[in-house]
Structure formats: structure tokens, C-alpha cells
Amino acid sequence: MEGSDPIAALEAAVTAVAGVPVELERPSEARHGDYATNVALRLAGERRQPPREVAAELAARIASLDGIAAVDVAGPGFLNLTVDDAWLGGALAAVLRAGGGFGARSAGAPERIQVELVSANPTGPLTVASARNGAYGDAVARLLEFAGHEVEREYYYNDAGAQMDLFRASVEAVRRGEEPPEDGYHGAYLAELADEPGDPVPRMLARIEAALERFRIHVDTFERQSAVEAEIPDALAAIETYEADGAVWAATSAHGDDRDRVVVRSDGTPTYFAADAAYIRRKFARGFDRLVYVLGADHHGYVARLAALAEMLGKPREAVEVLIYQLVHLTRGGEAAKMSKRRGDVVFLDDFLDEIGVDAARWYLLSRGHDQTIEIDVDLAAERSQKNPVYYVQYAHARIAGVLRNAAGSRPDPAPGAALATEERELVKRLLELPAIVREATARRGPHALPAYSIRVADDFHRFYHHHRVLGSEAEAFRLALCAGTRTVVAVCLDLMGVEAPERM
RNA sequence: GCGCCCGUAGCUCAGGGGACAGAGCGGCGGACUUCUAAUCCGCGGGUCGGAGGUUCGAAUCCUCCCGGGCGCACCA
């Protein structure tokens, strides 16, 4: 792993000198060197020595490390390291050797992980709210796979129960030429479902699956609520329950929940939470080490009760991970667009994709932290699609692909033949950030770091490209290697986001 | 009332203990005999919601307050 992460290797070398873990960061200012660490400031306290004194002592020893051109003590006691060109060349060689696996396999102990995503009931087409769930959940799944875990994507849906009865009744009403029930479903899609005979639910589900595939989300397994409900008695026997007020309760408050939850109503019917219990038990029985739920902010109350269920089933509560994303607010022409499925004025995923495209849609939905609500003016997103930064990044990839096509026959060589220019050094250093970016994005379940980082990569590449000729220059071999490394890094980022890396634009 | 999330540039948002706070869009002004100008370069733009606290050092951590979003079912 460290063999393909030059930064981690350098950090390990400096750590060996300092005696405590060292993290290198990239200073915002060029005069602060290539990499900086505050380790001397941290050590000063425990050594009861002035920080700059500690720094000076460490600097002398770090300066003799392989690849270090200079070490400066700055400010209150920062150590600013400058690496030499040969080190950067070696690092670039490591990127090229790793190829599409650069930054991958960071998981110490690979797990079997299930990511449950979208799980919208098939009572209508997917909306943009589900699109955020899907884009986010799928990106997290891709990150986990990239880290080396075995990941399965699952979609859970209701195929029986009151809402589905109402949905079927709404379709039936349309077939009879009547208005759907007052509290039923009303979209134009009902007419299409009514045109064909039989149960509309499987066809609605097929349409949803097709929309997800178009959105580049492949669901491995679909789980039906009716199948899960059949296992409710077994699940209730496996957890702590008691009777009170004529109902059966699960003792979730003993496991971190605010209160206990009813699992069987006083009329004898099980609650939705009873199905949750059966479902989570079934998931564990299928052999997953970790269960990831991707849920909207309106479900944040589930976190405690699902963890409680895991504990009651004898699993560590950390084995259930509930990822909460904030809601998507859509506006159209300044007016808030309604998101209820029972109204006709919703924005469906397919329409959204028609307007702004799959790449821009995925990029846009992933660009914000999942803890942040998103506001999208649908008209604006469509109108300004050319200005979406996704094209800026894709263009970098296409540009490189073009150069490499034209360079056919010419051999890349990551060893610098001459002193590297500023733009070349900056670009190499940028590429080397990928493993840390990916590790952190994975650990924090925050794929929004990827678009932010890939913009910086594209930025550094476009600047390099503008200032330096690749083909026919004296530095052609090195620059071709730099182009190849950049293409790899951009392609890895785009793939983790589910965005295409085009060869031409 | 209780719980979760969020207040950073005109707008949409990054940054989640370090050195003068960033990007995109929008505004203004420049650059193509060129491997792709979907590019590059420059200018302007900020009480990081407010007040305390911890720290050598706070947009970042803690407390309180203000403002916004979302939840607090024997619904699904």
C-alpha cells in the first residue's frame, strides 16, 4: 500500500525521525516549501523545549533523508520540506505503476458490506430526492469497493400494505375511467400503467430500475417487504420484547434509543418497525459484516433504533451505519417545486437527466456535503450546463487523451530530464494527493471531496498545458508521463463519482 | 419542549486545530501562426450568524444565544 503512496512513504520516513506520527500537508504558499509539518510544535510541549529549537534539531536530521532538497524552520516552529526533482520523478513513476489502482486497497481488513440505497416505494417514478440518495449511496459504495471491501447494493421496497393498496386502487380507478381516490396517486404516469393489464407494481419497479441503470447505479439485489415480513415472528423471538397496554414492545431504550418501540399493535398486526427488525436480522444472516443505510434527513430518528436492533441481535451497534443526507430543494423559475409523488408537478429523475445529463446530475448531487441541503434551480442547471465544472474536469481528461493519441510511438519516462518547471512540480504534487483524498472520503463517507479535488487536478493540468508544450519539447518523455499520470488520477476520480471520462469532447 | 443537520464572497458551496480564509458561477479587463480556447492570465469582492471559553494558535473544539431546515405515531 505504501509502495504506491509516495506521500505515505515520506511521512513514514519523517515519522521515524520524529518518533511520533507525522502528517505532511501542502502549504498554501509556495515559499513554505512542498510539504509542511507542525510536529515540532506538538513535541515542544512534552519536551519542555522551545518549538523552534525542536524544529531546528529535527530539520537537521530530516535534511539527510532521501529525496529531501531542503528543510526550513518557519514561523512558530513549522518544518517546511522541499523535495528534489528526482523524488517527484520517482513518485510519478509510482503513480504510473499503480495505474487505475492508485489510491486503492486502503482497507486494512476487507469486509462484506451491504449498502442499501434509494429504496423508494414503487408508487411512482423516482424523483430528484431519490437521485441524491442514489448518487450519494452509490459513490460511497464505489469508495468502499475501491478500498477493497466486498460491496452489495440493495434496494428494499414495499410490495404489500396500505400504500401499495392505494396505489393499485389508483391505477384501477384510472382503468375504469374514474378519478383516483382523494388521498391516492395522481400523476400522469398512472395512465401509462393503466394502459397495460395486470399488477402495476412490477412494471413500476422495472421503470425505476431502468432509471437507476441510466443513472449508472446498478442494484445487485431487490428485497421485497412481504418476504421480510414473513420472518417477523422469528425476529421478535430473537429480540427483547414485553407486553404493555395490549401491545408488544421492543426494549430498544435499553440499547440507546429514546424510548421503546411498538412491534405488534394492540389489534395484533405488526408495525413497520417489526419489519425493520426482521430485515436487519435477515441482512446479518446473509453474512454481511456491516450494514450501511442511506436515508434522508427525515429519517434521522432511525439511527438510534436501528443500532439498538443490531445490539439486541448480538451484533456491535457500529455494524449498522446510517448515513443521513439532507434534502434536495428544487426550484423552478424561482418557485419551489413540489416534491409529493401524488402531485403532477414533481421533478422526476428521468426528466432531470433529460435536462442536464447524467454526468452533470451526478456531479451536481455529489458536489455538496451530504450534511448540506442542496438547492437546485432546475431551469438554471439545464441552461448553464456548459458552465458546470464537470465539463472542465472532463475536458482535462479529453485533452490528455488527445495528446497521448498524437504521441503514439513516443515513450513516456517519469524521470525528469531537466529541472522541473513550477507547473510541473505543482501538478505532480497534486496527483500525489489522491490516496489521502480517497482515504479520507471513504472514512468520512464524504464523496464530495472528489469533485473538489478533481477540479484542482484539472486546474493544475490546464495551467501546465497552457504554459508548456508536451510533444516535440525537450522534456517530451517526462511530460508524456505527467500526462499519463494525470489521466489516471482524473479517471479514478470520475469513476468513483460515476461520471464518464471521455476520450474526446 | 426534545433531538439531528446547517449559517463562510452578490449566488451556490469547499475548508472540520495551524502560517495573510478558497473554488465555481456572476461582474470588469486581457491572451489563439498552439499537442482540443469547454483553455489561460489579471482585477474587484469577507464582522467565517453573535457572545463567551479552551489553546502558543479557533472558520475549525466546548457552552450559551439568534436564524433556517428536518424529525419527535400502536403511519409506511
Side-chain angles (χ1 to χ4, degrees), chain A residues 120 122 155 157 200-210 222 224:
Chain A
Y155 187 117
Y157 69 99
V201 173
R203 285 211 313 284
M204 193 66 250
L205 192 69
R207 283 181 57 176
I208 287 172
E209 187 175 10
F222 286 86
R224 289 175 302 123

Side-chain angles (χ1 to χ4, degrees), chain A residues 5-7 10 25-36 81-85 87-89 91-92 95 102 420-437 453 456-457 460 478 482 486 489:
Chain A
D5 184 352
I7 300 296
L10 187 58
E25 59 178 47
R26 285 196 56 193
S28 49
E29 263 193 85
R31 65 186 173 87
H32 292 145
D34 295 318
Y35 299 103
L81 319 195
T82 303
V83 295
D84 58 37
D85 286 355
W87 185 86
L88 289 171
L92 179 56
V95 175
F102 183 49
L420 296 182
T422 303
E423 292 81 7
E424 293 170 319
R425 292 180 60 91
E426 293 304 302
L427 180 52
V428 175
K429 285 188 287 177
R430 185 69 74 194
L431 303 183
L432 300 182
E433 292 176 23
L434 178 72
I437 295 285
Y453 169 68
R456 280 181 245 125
V457 175
D460 284 329
F478 173 79
L482 187 50
T486 304
V489 168

